[in-house]
Amino acid sequence: MESHIGVSRKIENEGERQRLRRIVEEFNQKNEGVIVRTAGVGKSRAELQADLEFLRSLWQKIRQKAEGLKGPALVQKDLDLVFRLFRDLFTRDVARLVVDSPPEYERCLEFTESLFPDLRSLLYLYTEDEPIFKSFGIEKEIEKALRPKVWLKSGGYIVVEETEALVSIDVNTGRYVGKHDFEETVFRTNLEAAREIARQVRLRDLGGIIIIDFIDMARQEHRDKVVIELKEVLKPDRSPTNVSLLSDLGLVEMTRKRVKQGLIRSISQACPACGGTGAVRALPSIAHQILREVEWQLYRRKPPQVRIRAHPDVTAWLKAEEAEVIEALQQQYGGEISLAAEESWPPAKYQLQEG
């Protein structure tokens, strides 16, 4: 078998293709084939070397296991979540890996000692009484990640809105107005926002087209520095990103490879009341629609009674605000109109029953 190095055709930048090929050539061994996937775009020499060493170690374990098995037998299956963390995230840049399950901790120890013995000291078994997510503040971070508004330390904030077509991120000064130079205030806010945007993009796993509306800056040097800062803080991102120049309107268009569903879509569902739109019809609008239908029934069908079944807030509104209209309809068409509150119904649901 001859040595082979391949680079994914999806990596179109020729300069990047040559860079990746040169790096892999340094590590490629005799009779070894290597294919660099799109996930390798922008990765450093150390990252690529660590990934290759991991694969070599895994291949040796597979071979050893296969030699001791009698077919048919399972030789290898895809790694579970714990081991995927080791493969993709557990490096010397990690301060520590904390595990709250003794059996999983033992598996981690075994895996580390066989593949990454120098990282053994970074493993810790969590034994406290408080749940691990609560102890490390992860539950609060998850709750924050579900909110559109993210506050900055300076007092400014960003607003993240996801739609089917794109993600919009708006930057605002908020409470931060500075002391003297407003242009400098805007610049500092945008710099801080750029850093937080990079964090939120990774945390929420945002993908596709992302439009960032920075606060308008008058000086070109400030615009350039904000874009440079954004590109710099996005470099550690494992998903490939591309950032455009800052327009005269203060807009930056960037793209990020969408690998899977974002955080919000993966851990939440559409609101049953509004269907995911974030808004429901106002009570007066619902009440007026009900009364239009009641009038139509009284006029066309002439029933002796029409019973309105609806949410308590709707029936309360009809009693308090539309009593004269209801009385006028009863007088005009001769039918009785009654109200029945349904506690379990959403506000927009109602039903008319003829009696």
Side-chain angles (χ1 to χ4, degrees):
M1 176 181 173
E2 295 182 359
S3 297
H4 172 76
I5 298 175
V7 179
S8 172
R9 295 178 181 176
K10 294 182 180 179
I11 302 176
E12 298 178 352
N13 186 291
E14 188 59 33
E16 179 66 5
R17 292 176 63 86
Q18 293 300 324
R19 185 189 74 88
L20 294 171
R21 188 180 295 275
R22 285 195 301 269
I23 291 176
V24 175
E25 283 176 349
E26 298 178 28
F27 315 130
N28 197 27
Q29 298 177 357
K30 187 178 180 181
N31 299 329
E32 186 175 68
V34 178
I35 298 177
V36 183
R37 302 174 297 138
T38 54
V41 173
K43 299 305 178 185
S44 67
R45 182 181 183 277
E47 288 175 311
L48 293 170
Q49 184 179 12
D51 197 39
L52 189 53
E53 289 175 355
F54 170 83
L55 293 173
R56 284 184 185 136
S57 178
L58 182 61
W59 170 238
Q60 290 301 321
K61 294 188 70 175
I62 292 173
R63 288 185 62 181
Q64 292 172 7
K65 184 177 180 181
E67 290 171 359
L69 291 174
K70 186 176 181 180
L74 176 65
V75 177
Q76 172 67 7
K77 64 179 181 179
D78 192 22
L79 301 177
D80 61 16
L81 177 60
V82 173
F83 288 163
R84 288 202 302 273
L85 287 174
F86 272 93
R87 179 189 65 189
D88 299 336
L89 300 175
F90 196 45
T91 66
R92 292 172 179 82
D93 296 329
V94 174
R96 57 178 173 161
L97 177 62
V98 185
V99 186
D100 66 346
S101 167
E104 293 299 332
Y105 176 72
E106 293 299 325
R107 291 178 64 208
C108 291
L109 278 178
E110 179 184 350
F111 193 75
T112 305
E113 289 169 357
S114 62
L115 296 178
F116 308 112
D118 57 328
L119 301 181
R120 164 68 179 80
S121 60
L122 303 183
L123 276 176
Y124 292 86
L125 176 64
Y126 183 81
T127 57
E128 303 299 326
D129 294 333
E130 191 175 41
I132 188 170
F133 270 30
K134 186 175 181 180
S135 177
F136 284 87
I138 297 176
E139 297 291 2
K140 288 184 178 180
E141 288 298 321
I142 292 175
E143 289 297 323
K144 289 180 182 178
L146 295 175
R147 302 171 189 164
K149 181 181 287 189
V150 180
W151 286 99
L152 305 175
K153 291 182 179 180
S154 65
Y157 62 91
I158 62 174
V159 179
V160 182
E161 295 286 352
E162 296 185 55
T163 68
E164 288 295 325
L166 52 82
V167 178
S168 69
I169 303 178
D170 187 35
V171 182
N172 297 277
T173 54
R175 297 188 295 263
Y176 182 46
V177 295
K179 296 181 179 179
H180 305 290
D181 189 348
F182 182 71
E183 170 68 17
E184 188 67 19
T185 297
V186 168
F187 172 56
R188 296 297 175 189
T189 303
N190 281 336
L191 275 181
E192 185 184 5
R195 302 181 192 110
E196 183 61 32
I197 287 168
R199 176 177 177 272
Q200 291 296 322
V201 163
R202 294 196 299 271
L203 179 63
R204 301 175 187 233
D205 203 5
L206 303 175
I209 299 174
I210 303 173
I211 304 296
I212 306 172
D213 185 7
F214 285 106
I215 308 168
D216 292 341
M217 293 171 286
R219 302 174 193 169
Q220 185 61 46
E221 60 176 313
H222 285 172
R223 298 180 184 179
D224 295 340
K225 287 181 179 179
V226 168
V227 174
I228 291 172
E229 180 69 16
L230 179 61
K231 291 180 178 180
E232 188 65 27
V233 292
L234 284 171
K235 283 183 178 180
D237 195 346
R238 296 176 59 84
S239 295
T241 58
N242 182 43
V243 180
S244 70
L245 297 176
L246 185 66
S247 72
D248 292 338
L249 297 177
L251 299 177
V252 168
E253 178 183 315
M254 65 171 282
T255 59
R256 182 173 185 266
K257 184 178 179 181
R258 190 190 301 276
V259 179
K260 56 185 182 295
Q261 279 190 330
L263 176 68
I264 291 180
R265 295 191 179 185
S266 63
I267 66 173
S268 61
Q269 62 183 26
C271 169
C274 70
T277 64
V280 294
R281 289 184 67 178
L283 290 179
S285 177
I286 298 172
H288 294 159
Q289 179 180 351
I290 291 173
L291 292 177
R292 286 193 296 270
E293 293 191 24
V294 168
E295 183 175 14
W296 182 86
Q297 288 194 11
L298 290 172
Y299 171 71
R300 296 294 297 271
R301 300 180 183 177
K302 297 182 173 53
Q305 183 186 46
V306 175
R307 184 179 182 84
I308 302 173
R309 300 176 61 197
H311 188 273
D313 290 345
V314 177
T315 57
W317 176 276
L318 289 169
K319 286 181 181 178
E321 305 295 334
E322 307 294 344
E324 293 183 3
V325 175
I326 291 175
E327 180 62 28
L329 290 175
Q330 292 179 135
Q331 293 293 331
Q332 182 175 354
Y333 298 105
E336 181 185 352
I337 301 173
S338 61
L339 303 173
E342 299 291 346
E343 295 281 351
S344 61
W345 285 15
K349 181 178 180 181
Y350 64 89
Q351 186 180 73
L352 305 183
Q353 293 180 332
E354 297 181 3

